Amino acid sequence: MRSSLPTLASLLLLFFSCLSIALAHSIESTHDGNTRVIPSKILIKGGTIVNHDREFKSDVLIIDDKIAQISPTITLTDDINLKIIDATDRYVMPGGIDPHVHLELQFMGTVSKDDFYHGTRAALSGGTTTIMDFAIPAKGQSYIDIVNEYKNKGKKACSDYALHVGIIDYNEKVGEEMEQLVKYHGINSFKMFLAYKGVFQVNDEELFKAMKKAKELGAITQVHAENGDLVVQGQNEMIAKGVTGPEGHPQSRPSNIEAEAVHRASEIAFAAGNAPLYIVHVMSKAAMEEVARAKAKGYRIVGEPIAAGLSLDESVYYEGDWMQRAKYVMSPPIRTKQDQEALVKGLKARILDLTGTDHCVFDSEQKKMGLNDFRKIPNGVNGIEDRMTVLFDRLVVTGELSPSDYVRVTSTEAAQIFNIYPKKGTIQVGSEADIILLNPNRKKTISAKTHHQNIDYNVYEGREVTGVVEVTISRGVVVWENDELKVESGHGQFVATPPFGKMFNGLEKENHEPRKVEV
């Protein structure tokens, strides 16, 4: 017979749970001898609140994990549980939402270096309070199993996280699992690859059927848009010509290969009933023009450029020694300066909608797996910690975007697309207290010596940027202040993304039924 006495492990778990509550809150005795938890309070005073639609001077009161009050002047006295933060000359903004990261991803014979602890810790230090990762199964693995596996990895997360699911094949059973994931596992987006032949790549029929199923479920289809067959041809041609270094990578997968895949994906999505389509990491002007073309035709499509594509150019593949150039190998590759400028203008014109990072980091030793063959260099760059500052410097300091538009493309649009707004992505009463204080005048120099990402280099090494996140608040807890992290593993929570977000608004009124002639 099993004993009903608590185990040592359960007692320790209870002790540390109570301790964590005590550290975050004060506990006082009541008149009847019991105890009660006193809510934690943070008062942000004197800042300029910046939401996606307006800027205004106001104070913000946070109680526990929610925004409780927004008013020009909030005064609280004699409250020992109140923390006051002076936000004079600072922007008070919603915490960043990075919709595109890969933490501890098994890929190209290795595993990305940032796990859910190190990656989310770095994110918070840079002002990102929610990340969205991709649960991608091995061939033959259950899609539900890989989501459960990622949620288990997420138990050590420092920031909140949500999940997309990578679909690497399609049949009736996969469709049934997609339905289970949407209904019971908090998933509203599925990513499919038109590249990585023999690993992740799907064919057009699989893409079409998965898009129809996703639309039926109220889920978004995301697409990695490159023509995988042509990529393989280009890679083989480079190797045959003796181009084995990192410079072979961008030459093997030019922008027209990316643009063709965006065009094909958008037409297949429309054929599937104008299924909502999200193009990840738009890297070229040609690909962006295909997004613009689809939008002009009324297709439900959004485009996501990433920090690297908006701030770097292809010269990185041709300058420096092998390792210096290998750092930047990612897919699609970083394009020309002209492409970078076009992407910035496209973001400004709302042809492109929001920004991510495609953060997927491999250290120098892992990159050397492709020392004699660029095809074997693990693909990925850093950005989870750098995005907010790099993009403020690139977009706001230069006058390309207003501070409100910056909030839109780094936070609010992601929250709205993935249907977690206004829980996240805004500063308003009742929203979760994910807030950053950004100093628009402070400068810093980015370096691997000072960053928190778990790699020995940084693709922005030596870059001086203006606009620094000085305070990060995650669900009512100050986790970054005075250039110090104050967060523990497990603080982060899984964020379920409900189906039928804004990309589905009015879709039911569109007529995609066939016409029949009665004779």
Side-chain angles (χ1 to χ4, degrees):
M1 180 176 179
R2 180 173 296 178
S3 170
S4 61
L5 293 175
T7 65
L8 176 60
S10 63
L11 287 172
L12 287 172
L13 179 61
L14 178 62
F15 169 76
F16 285 112
S17 297
C18 293
L19 179 61
S20 66
I21 294 173
L23 290 172
H25 304 79
S26 295
I27 298 177
E28 70 174 10
S29 297
T30 61
H31 68 280
D32 57 4
N34 294 317
T35 60
R36 72 181 181 92
V37 176
I38 302 173
S40 66
K41 297 178 183 178
I42 300 173
L43 178 58
I44 303 172
K45 289 195 66 68
T48 299
I49 295 177
V50 184
N51 278 327
H52 72 287
D53 53 355
R54 66 183 182 124
E55 299 178 31
F56 56 101
K57 291 272 190 181
S58 193
D59 296 347
V60 180
L61 176 64
I62 298 167
I63 299 180
D64 287 339
D65 62 347
K66 298 290 194 300
I67 298 171
Q69 184 181 352
I70 299 173
S71 180
T73 304
I74 301 174
T75 302
L76 297 176
T77 59
D78 300 325
D79 191 336
I80 62 171
N81 300 295
L82 177 67
K83 177 180 176 67
I84 298 177
I85 299 176
D86 181 7
T88 304
D89 298 325
R90 306 297 189 269
Y91 287 137
V92 181
M93 295 173 158
I97 300 173
D98 189 338
H100 191 159
V101 308
H102 298 280
L103 303 180
E104 48 193 298
L105 173 68
Q106 295 186 15
F107 183 52
M108 297 185 72
T110 187
V111 180
S112 60
K113 291 291 289 186
D114 267 333
D115 61 13
F116 271 80
Y117 171 69
H118 291 96
T120 55
R121 186 171 176 270
L124 291 170
S125 72
T128 290
T129 52
T130 304
I131 61 101
M132 304 187 75
D133 207 310
F134 294 81
I136 307 173
K139 283 191 178 296
Q141 184 179 13
S142 158
Y143 290 94
I144 292 173
D145 285 349
I146 191 63
V147 167
N148 289 333
E149 182 181 311
Y150 265 73
K151 286 182 179 179
N152 191 53
K153 292 178 181 180
K155 290 178 180 178
K156 56 181 176 285
C158 300
S159 77
D160 288 354
Y161 70 98
L163 293 174
H164 316 288
V165 175
I167 301 297
I168 60 173
D169 58 1
Y170 190 82
N171 54 45
E172 187 174 330
K173 184 177 184 300
V174 172
E176 291 171 357
E177 287 197 84
M178 289 172 64
E179 185 168 349
Q180 295 293 308
L181 289 169
V182 172
K183 288 182 176 179
Y184 306 115
H185 295 268
I187 304 297
N188 77 357
S189 51
F190 297 97
K191 180 181 181 182
M192 305 191 78
F193 296 81
L194 299 183
Y196 300 120
K197 187 172 184 177
V199 182
F200 297 148
Q201 184 175 329
V202 298
N203 61 42
D204 290 353
E205 180 183 359
E206 290 172 318
L207 179 62
F208 173 77
K209 289 180 177 179
M211 283 178 163
K212 283 186 72 72
K213 186 64 178 180
K215 179 199 167 193
E216 172 194 321
L217 298 172
I220 297 164
T221 299
Q222 297 179 296
V223 168
H224 174 130
E226 290 181 287
N227 186 313
D229 294 328
L230 295 183
V231 167
V232 170
Q233 294 300 315
Q235 290 175 329
N236 292 341
E237 183 176 324
M238 288 295 114
I239 296 296
K241 292 180 177 180
V243 182
T244 61
E247 71 279 10
H249 181 72
Q251 295 179 80
S252 70
R253 46 209 316 151
S255 60
N256 65 303
I257 284 177
E258 183 186 358
E260 184 278 332
V262 175
H263 181 97
R264 180 159 39 103
S266 64
E267 293 301 335
I268 292 173
F270 187 74
N274 208 1
L277 173 62
Y278 180 119
I279 303 295
V280 300
H281 47 44
V282 177
M283 297 296 284
S284 66
K285 180 179 183 230
M288 182 189 73
E289 287 172 344
E290 289 297 335
V291 173
R293 179 198 61 82
K295 284 189 173 187
K297 293 176 71 173
Y299 294 4
R300 293 172 180 261
I301 183 172
V302 297
E304 168 210 271
I306 63 171
L310 292 164
S311 59
L312 301 171
D313 67 75
E314 69 172 5
S315 64
V316 296
Y317 296 117
Y318 300 96
E319 298 174 355
D321 61 20
W322 186 94
M323 188 61 231
Q324 175 63 25
R325 293 177 287 123
K327 297 173 185 177
Y328 300 93
V329 169
M330 62 168 300
S331 296
I334 297 163
R335 305 293 188 186
T336 67
K337 184 70 173 177
Q338 291 72 32
D339 285 300
Q340 178 201 128
E341 294 291 345
L343 295 176
V344 169
K345 298 300 183 187
L347 196 59
K348 183 176 183 178
R350 302 198 182 199
I351 296 168
L352 302 175
D353 302 88
L354 73 167
T355 62
T357 58
D358 196 10
H359 177 90
C360 186
V361 295
F362 302 95
D363 65 20
S364 297
E365 288 305 310
Q366 290 172 303
K367 288 281 187 178
K368 289 177 183 176
M369 293 169 64
L371 190 57
N372 299 308
D373 185 344
F374 70 83
R375 297 173 296 182
K376 298 177 182 178
I377 301 172
N379 285 203
V381 297
N382 62 276
I384 202 169
E385 179 174 351
D386 314 293
R387 178 183 68 130
M388 299 295 282
T389 292
V390 166
L391 291 185
F392 188 89
D393 182 73
R394 179 66 182 88
L395 302 173
V396 181
V397 173
T398 59
E400 297 289 356
L401 293 187
S402 68
S404 285
D405 277 334
Y406 167 82
V407 166
R408 174 176 58 82
V409 303
T410 59
S411 181
T412 308
E413 192 71 26
Q416 291 177 340
I417 288 171
F418 295 105
N419 213 13
I420 54 176
Y421 180 91
K423 176 180 180 179
K424 295 183 180 292
T426 186
I427 296 178
Q428 66 181 54
V429 173
S431 296
E432 288 191 347
D434 292 341
I435 295 174
I436 62 172
L437 271 64
L438 187 148
N439 184 339
N441 300 309
R442 181 176 165 185
K443 299 179 185 292
K444 80 169 188 178
T445 300
I446 297 173
S447 175
K449 294 178 180 178
T450 54
H451 75 199
H452 301 85
Q453 295 155 129
N454 192 29
I455 48 169
D456 55 348
Y457 61 86
N458 191 304
V459 296
Y460 303 105
E461 185 70 37
R463 189 183 188 116
E464 184 182 74
V465 290
T466 301
V468 177
V469 175
E470 295 184 330
V471 177
T472 304
I473 300 171
S474 170
R475 292 197 337 274
V477 177
V478 176
V479 294
W480 173 254
E481 188 179 29
N482 300 322
D483 295 333
E484 293 182 3
L485 274 165
K486 305 174 181 180
V487 69
E488 298 297 329
S489 172
H491 168 75
Q493 295 180 353
F494 172 70
V495 180
T497 52
F500 294 103
K502 79 169 190 174
M503 290 187 75
F504 286 83
N505 291 346
L507 182 56
E508 73 283 355
K509 297 177 182 178
E510 293 185 13
N511 182 15
H512 295 280
E513 293 301 315
R515 292 184 300 168
K516 181 179 180 181
V517 176
E518 299 291 346
V519 293

